[in-house]
Amino acid sequence: MAMRMAGAAARSASHRISFSTGHLPSMRASSSPLSRQITMDAQSLAARLKTSGLLRSQGLIGGKWVDAYDGKTVKVHNPATGEVITEVPCMGSRETKDAISSANDAFQSWSKVTAAERSRHLRKWYDLLISHKEELGQLITLEQGKPLKEAIGEVGYGASFIEFFSEEAKRVYGDIIPAPLADRRLFVLKQPVGVVGAITPWNFPLAMITRKVGPALACGCTVVIKPSELTPLTALAAAELSLQAGIPPGAVNVVMGKASDIGDSLLESSQVRKITFTGSTAVGKKLMAGAAATVKKLSLELGGNAPCIVFDDADVDVAVKGTLAAKFRNSGQTCVCANRVIVQEGIYERFATAFSKAVQNLQVGDGFSEGITQGPLINEAALHKVESFVEDAISKGAKILLGGRRHSLGRTFYEPTVMGDVKSDMLISREEVFGPVAPLLRFRTEEEAIHMANDTNAGLAAYIFTSNVQRTWRVTEALEYGLVGVNEGIVSTEVAPFGGVKQSGLGREGSKYGIDEYLELKYVCLGNMEH
Ligand code: ADP
């Protein structure tokens, strides 16, 4: 791997964490030789990506790479080192209006080409994403921080939505309805909704975009993408590859900068017929309210508070492996990450010991170093949130079983942490911690576990670990969640519907259901058949 550091430097980047009962010392190691080495390599990697044309630092409007109209920029940082990778345009409403108008022009032709042609273009885009897997993975690690192996995994996952919807493009069938009157014929057409505004977060810089843009383009919509300002580079690289795939100029536009100005322009435009959003519940609610003025279609994938229930009858090894995957993927920064590990009292001690042992083996460090499984948190705000949740839990009686403080690597690295004796009223049980902290809560009966799991406004992912088939069905049916993993911690795939209930959102992404979010039904009644 081009960016992997050789030898001792790489090994020393990955600190083994140790059991600890202390918490919250503020340590910084930003000017160590290690971080200088990482910084140098990251900079040469950025230069290489620039030469290859995949590191773009302009927005894309109507097929043209453009700066902000007032020339302003936003810096994009590498969260592992704090270094500035590049600057991107700080765009606002003027650029967004132009992007909408380009998308609207492109819609007139893209919606009319055959499904087979759209399918071919998407397939080409998929092939290009896959053939640039390594570089896209490097970009993800550079701007987001997740370990390179995980980042390359995200490229495969992200690209799979383009492949899947390139195939689904050809399967958007309408219907013929038996008419209630002999001289009528009734049918249903499915047509693309129009221009789509796609607003995405930083935790999956590629997959959250392809999951939206794949089905949108497949059925003839065009898009204005607003990636997170923290991770716009992967979005821009993917957009570059969409152009190389022959997807017409204006079908895919990318603007970034002033989030609320861009959001407001998308909401106000009557040409934008749909907003698809992944991000915080607070912003999702704002968008939902804002979409009312022009009555837009909406898909919202918002925050979760995933329970991970381990029953006495679970296989401990399976439960540990599954919980580890559900909790620590992307250093705990996903909306389907286990937020509360709810463990039955008969297995609690055994699980806590085995789980802490497994967590202790996680390697923390720069995502480009060999063997790392835990990268940095995205920024200081994320780190402070984790710290304040841990502090709140400790002040209310929770015990640190492992970790519980900033990592000695400094910056936004945090020790993978396990907390015992956590209670339902602690902040960490009420809200998403979005970091590498696993709180263990104890329960006695199945009813109590279901009550604890459902005692939240969120309803995205839930996990259960049990060997009892009847219990699997009972609990799965009782859980108020959009996704349930049974004896499995990683459930997302392009072929299955992803989305939440309650305040976790509206609509589903991926799968045969995902394309419906971008389609309108048109009922046609043909009368007067006798003449
Ligand atoms: P997170 O906490 O994951 O960053 P946010 O909801 O703040 O979640 O961000 C998700 C996406 O929403 C990002 O692209 C962000 O820039 C964008 N965003 C934030 N505020 C607004 C807004 N008022 N209107 C539109 N988009 C917004």
Side-chain angles (χ1 to χ4, degrees):
M1 204 84 12
M3 186 46 213
R4 277 188 189 155
M5 289 181 299
R11 278 191 295 280
S12 64
S14 55
H15 284 204
R16 275 197 168 237
I17 52 163
S18 55
F19 279 96
S20 162
T21 50
H23 64 104
L24 304 179
S26 175
M27 282 189 273
R28 304 204 133 255
S30 55
S31 59
S32 67
L34 163 66
S35 71
R36 278 200 297 277
Q37 160 96 54
I38 291 169
T39 302
M40 245 170 47
D41 285 353
Q43 278 170 346
S44 63
L45 173 65
R48 263 205 306 283
L49 287 167
K50 207 160 205 155
T51 316
S52 78
L54 272 193
L55 196 153
R56 316 269 350 177
S57 23
Q58 288 176 299
L60 181 65
I61 300 178
K64 297 205 166 53
W65 293 102
V66 289
D67 293 323
Y69 296 165
D70 62 5
K72 292 208 171 109
T73 56
V74 203
K75 292 185 171 73
V76 183
H77 293 93
N78 173 348
T81 63
E83 288 289 312
V84 174
I85 306 165
T86 187
E87 296 185 22
V88 294
C90 184
M91 294 172 153
S93 58
R94 281 196 299 147
E95 295 87 346
T96 308
K97 283 180 185 154
D98 286 348
I100 294 169
S101 150
S102 297
N104 194 53
D105 291 347
F107 178 72
Q108 309 314 318
S109 45
W110 180 250
S111 58
K112 294 190 183 68
V113 304
T114 61
E117 197 170 334
R118 286 197 296 269
S119 171
R120 275 194 294 275
H121 281 104
L122 283 171
R123 178 72 208 193
K124 184 91 203 292
W125 191 18
Y126 164 76
D127 289 341
L128 286 169
L129 290 166
I130 292 298
S131 63
H132 291 88
K133 210 172 183 175
E134 299 272 325
E135 291 134 294
L136 290 167
Q138 289 165 348
L139 263 181
I140 292 173
T141 299
L142 256 189
E143 63 177 350
Q144 199 274 336
K146 69 178 65 171
L148 187 58
K149 197 168 159 213
E150 204 175 319
I152 292 174
E154 182 187 336
V155 181
Y157 173 58
S160 73
F161 289 100
I162 304 300
E163 182 188 42
F164 183 84
F165 286 107
S166 76
E167 293 154 357
E168 285 300 288
K170 294 178 276 185
R171 297 187 187 110
V172 179
Y173 300 107
D175 254 326
I176 296 177
I177 298 174
L181 297 171
D183 71 337
R184 310 275 163 94
R185 294 295 178 270
L186 315 185
F187 44 97
V188 175
L189 302 179
K190 287 190 182 173
Q191 294 182 305
V193 64
V195 175
V196 174
I199 303 174
T200 58
W202 49 264
N203 58 348
F204 289 90
L206 181 69
M208 294 305 101
I209 291 174
T210 52
R211 193 153 86 170
K212 295 169 169 28
V213 175
L217 290 179
C219 66
C221 296
T222 54
V223 294
V224 176
I225 302 168
K226 196 213 84 66
S228 167
E229 286 64 37
L230 299 173
T231 57
L233 304 179
T234 312
L236 295 170
E240 160 65 28
L241 294 174
S242 81
L243 292 176
Q244 290 181 22
I247 293 172
V252 174
N253 304 274
V254 187
V255 291
M256 72 235 89
K258 296 169 210 137
S260 58
D261 290 0
I262 294 171
D264 289 348
S265 303
L266 290 169
L267 290 170
E268 281 158 18
S269 167
S270 52
Q271 287 177 338
V272 175
R273 294 311 314 142
K274 155 120 195 164
I275 297 285
T276 172
F277 171 76
T278 298
S280 64
T281 307
V283 172
K285 287 180 181 177
K286 260 193 216 164
L287 295 174
M288 194 170 178
T294 49
V295 193
K296 291 189 205 311
K297 246 172 133 71
L298 267 183
S299 298
L300 301 173
E301 201 263 276
L302 310 177
N305 181 358
C308 179
I309 309 174
V310 181
F311 287 98
D312 281 349
D313 58 26
D315 176 318
V316 176
D317 293 341
V318 170
V320 166
K321 187 166 165 259
T323 308
L324 198 69
K327 175 68 247 185
F328 288 98
R329 181 175 177 212
N330 202 6
S331 301
Q333 302 174 107
T334 89
C335 45
V336 291
C337 272
N339 202 53
R340 296 167 290 156
V341 186
I342 304 175
V343 192
Q344 199 159 15
E345 57 184 6
I347 200 175
Y348 184 94
E349 297 301 338
R350 260 192 313 145
F351 177 84
T353 306
F355 183 64
S356 300
K357 218 172 182 177
V359 174
Q360 196 183 8
N361 287 330
L362 296 174
Q363 305 282 300
V364 182
D366 185 290
F368 285 112
S369 303
E370 196 75 51
I372 292 301
T373 56
Q374 300 289 291
L377 295 180
I378 189 69
N379 57 20
E380 278 287 325
L383 183 68
H384 287 142
K385 183 178 185 190
V386 169
E387 286 183 326
S388 68
F389 279 29
V390 169
E391 215 168 348
D392 172 80
I394 291 169
S395 75
K396 292 175 181 155
K399 302 269 184 315
I400 296 285
L401 304 182
L402 180 75
R405 58 187 175 183
R406 289 181 180 213
H407 196 277
S408 57
L409 282 173
R411 296 210 171 276
T412 57
F413 290 97
Y414 196 84
E415 291 183 347
T417 296
V418 184
M419 300 181 87
D421 297 327
V422 173
K423 299 286 181 300
S424 289
D425 61 346
M426 296 174 183
L427 208 48
I428 201 155
S429 303
R430 308 303 316 163
E431 291 177 33
E432 265 182 316
V433 63
F434 236 65
V437 181
L440 307 189
L441 294 85
R442 216 183 274 258
F443 74 92
R444 286 164 66 180
T445 64
E446 185 179 302
E447 294 67 37
E448 192 187 354
I450 293 167
H451 173 77
M452 286 165 81
N454 288 340
D455 182 23
T456 168
N457 287 328
L460 187 56
Y463 305 89
I464 66 171
F465 291 90
T466 174
S467 303
N468 180 320
V469 176
Q470 285 78 10
R471 167 170 280 158
T472 297
W473 279 102
R474 267 195 317 270
V475 177
T476 300
E477 287 175 4
L479 287 171
E480 296 164 358
Y481 287 84
L483 332 166
V484 180
V486 180
N487 296 326
E488 179 55 63
I490 300 282
V491 297
S492 305
T493 153
E494 77 282 8
V495 302
F498 186 104
V501 302
K502 292 158 80 175
Q503 294 186 25
S504 284
L506 298 173
R508 294 294 180 269
E509 297 193 298
S511 81
K512 65 174 182 174
Y513 307 103
I515 203 159
D516 291 340
E517 305 281 331
Y518 299 89
L519 291 165
E520 291 286 12
L521 296 185
K522 184 181 283 172
Y523 154 56
V524 183
C525 174
L526 174 65
N528 223 2
M529 288 290 294
E530 284 105 12
H531 298 284

